[in-house]
């Protein structure tokens, strides 16, 4: 087994979430390793196939179209259809953070990188009975998710601190290492050779996508209030986003919740 260090942060998954996090961490001078089960040519994950639309609140594009939005209004709309339970402390905090920071952390973060937005926001997820977005907030980028990912990957490769970045492809993460009850790294095996590997890092960021790459898992987690899971389901998720890393997090008593919240 090969031992590798010294990274400040190990990121499991090189999709949009993992790559965005890596860019931020490099900006802060940290040493980062991205570990992905997929091959290098698929770097960027599912977003390479995506449309590139995102919910943003109180943007210049909305103002151009005389749509008045605010974090307060967006949060009310979010709560109207999120079906939060009293136990959903973190999801509620996430909603609040998102509505307050979507312009700074997404719109203003992407624009200088050369990502432009279609000048009309669209109105999706209005809800069948009025719950949902009460105004248009769905901002679509020019060039689809493929352009977004090519831009972010270029940014990563040409980052002034790119020397602090290591990318390992064809590496499947199987478990998280605990030492003295603290995270100490990850373990796994090479996708093609099955050779075991271990990476030490004091922080592990899990960005391995959802669970929907495994249709049996989708059926297992199916929300019973939607009726029974259909026998045949078309898989539009990343093939490796199968919930295995969620299980690894659970194995070390990590808090994994709301797997039944799938977008159908
Ligand atoms: C056709 C289509 C259109 C879409 N349109 C939109 C849209 O307009 N707006 C929107 O917001 N979303 C859209 N989506 C959804 C969006 O693309 C995804 O939600 C998003 O890309 C997920 O990014 P992620 O980084 O979380 O995960 P992923 O892109 O799934 O990346 C996960 C990565 O983790 C790796 N991985 C998984 N398990 C392991 C393991 N055990 N070890 C190592 N690596 C592992 C995978 O190889 C993968 O590279 C669309 C999706 C599709 C298919």
């Amino acid at each position: 087994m090969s031992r590798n260090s010294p990274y400040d942060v190990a990121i499991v998954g090189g999709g949009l979430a993992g790559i965005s996090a890596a860019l931020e961490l490099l900006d802060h001078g940290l040493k980062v390793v991205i570990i992905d089960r997929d091959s290098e040519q698929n770097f960027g994950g599912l977003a390479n196939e995506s449309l590139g639309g995102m919910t943003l609140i109180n943007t210049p594009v909305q103002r151009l179209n005389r749509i008045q939005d605010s974090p307060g209004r967006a949060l009310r709309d979010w709560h109207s259809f999120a079906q939060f339970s009293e136990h959903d402390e973190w999801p509620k905090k996430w909603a609040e953070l998102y509505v307050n920071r979507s312009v700074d952390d997404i719109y203003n973060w992407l624009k200088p990188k050369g990502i432009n937005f279609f000048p009309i926001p669209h109105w999706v997820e209005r809800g069948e009975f009025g719950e949902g977005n009460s105004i248009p907030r769905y901002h679509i980028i020019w060039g689809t998710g493929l352009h977004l990912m090519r831009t972010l990957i270029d940014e990563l490769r040409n980052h002034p601190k790119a020397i602090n970045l290591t990318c390992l492809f064809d590496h499947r993460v199987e478990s998280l290492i605990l030492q003295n009850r603290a995270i100490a790294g990850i373990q796994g095996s090479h996708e093609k050779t099955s050779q075991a590997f271990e990476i030490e890092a004091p922080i592990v960021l899990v960005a391995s996508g959802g669970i929907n790459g495994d249709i049996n898992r989708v059926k297992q987690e199916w929300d019973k209030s939607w009726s029974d899971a259909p026998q045949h389901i078309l898989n539009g998720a990343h093939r490796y986003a199968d919930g295995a890393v969620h299980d690894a997090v659970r194995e070390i008593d990590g808090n994994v919740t709301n797997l039944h919240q799938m977008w159908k």
Side-chain angles (χ1 to χ4, degrees):
M1 182 176 292
S2 62
R3 270 188 181 266
N4 296 304
S5 54
Y7 305 110
D8 297 308
V9 185
I11 300 177
V12 184
L16 177 55
I19 289 174
S20 307
L23 281 168
E24 291 274 293
L25 294 165
L26 289 179
D27 286 348
H28 286 83
L30 296 172
K31 295 197 175 105
V32 178
V33 55
I34 297 178
I35 306 124
D36 201 295
R37 190 178 161 184
D38 214 339
S39 55
E40 184 167 6
Q41 71 196 37
N42 297 326
F43 196 23
L46 192 62
N48 286 319
E49 325 279 332
S50 74
L51 174 65
M54 45 197 93
T55 292
L56 300 172
I57 294 113
N58 196 14
T59 63
V61 178
Q62 284 176 312
R63 287 196 288 280
L64 182 73
N65 289 276
R66 303 203 176 146
I67 296 163
Q68 286 194 342
D69 203 358
S70 69
R73 179 173 190 161
L75 193 59
R76 274 196 304 281
D77 288 350
W78 194 316
H79 275 258
S80 75
F81 70 140
Q83 299 175 336
F84 285 135
S85 80
E86 56 178 314
H87 308 294
D88 285 328
E89 188 192 346
W90 288 108
K92 284 180 199 159
K93 283 195 163 85
W94 166 246
E96 197 177 334
L97 184 86
Y98 190 98
V99 298
N100 280 297
R101 298 208 52 95
S102 71
V103 171
D104 281 343
D105 289 354
I106 304 174
Y107 188 87
N108 291 342
W109 191 72
L110 290 174
K111 286 283 279 183
K113 299 185 193 318
I115 300 295
N116 289 311
F117 290 85
F118 191 70
I120 301 171
H122 291 69
W123 198 350
V124 300
E125 282 144 8
R126 298 186 207 191
E128 276 173 67
F129 304 106
E131 78 283 14
N133 284 309
S134 58
I135 47 172
R137 296 195 171 103
Y138 191 64
H139 295 63
I140 299 176
I141 60 168
W142 290 105
T144 74
L146 183 61
H147 172 62
L148 172 67
M149 294 322 296
R150 286 186 174 162
T151 304
L152 295 183
I153 290 169
D154 275 357
E155 184 102 352
L156 204 54
R157 295 210 160 115
N158 297 313
H159 194 282
K161 299 271 181 60
I163 195 165
N164 288 342
L165 175 70
T166 304
C167 294
L168 300 175
F169 298 101
D170 302 309
H171 279 61
R172 181 184 359 181
V173 172
E174 289 158 351
S175 58
L176 307 178
I177 306 168
L178 274 189
Q179 261 168 21
N180 302 326
R181 304 184 67 200
I183 282 286
I186 55 108
Q187 285 173 325
S189 61
H190 193 276
E191 190 62 24
K192 291 175 181 152
T193 64
S194 300
Q195 194 184 349
F197 71 92
E198 185 173 311
I199 291 170
E200 292 175 10
I203 297 173
V204 174
L205 198 155
V206 174
S208 57
I211 60 162
N212 307 51
D214 178 351
I215 292 298
N216 286 329
R217 187 71 184 260
V218 169
K219 290 181 180 174
Q220 207 179 309
E221 303 288 348
W222 195 258
D223 190 326
K224 299 290 175 282
S225 69
W226 298 343
S227 76
D228 291 340
Q231 197 183 351
H232 301 290
I233 299 177
L234 188 63
N235 187 355
H238 194 287
R239 64 186 169 143
Y240 291 148
D242 58 4
V245 191
H246 295 68
D247 292 342
V249 170
R250 264 199 182 134
E251 263 172 41
I252 56 152
D253 289 336
N255 187 19
V256 179
T257 62
N258 289 328
L259 293 187
H260 67 290
Q261 296 274 14
M262 296 177 239
W263 198 47
K264 63 178 170 95

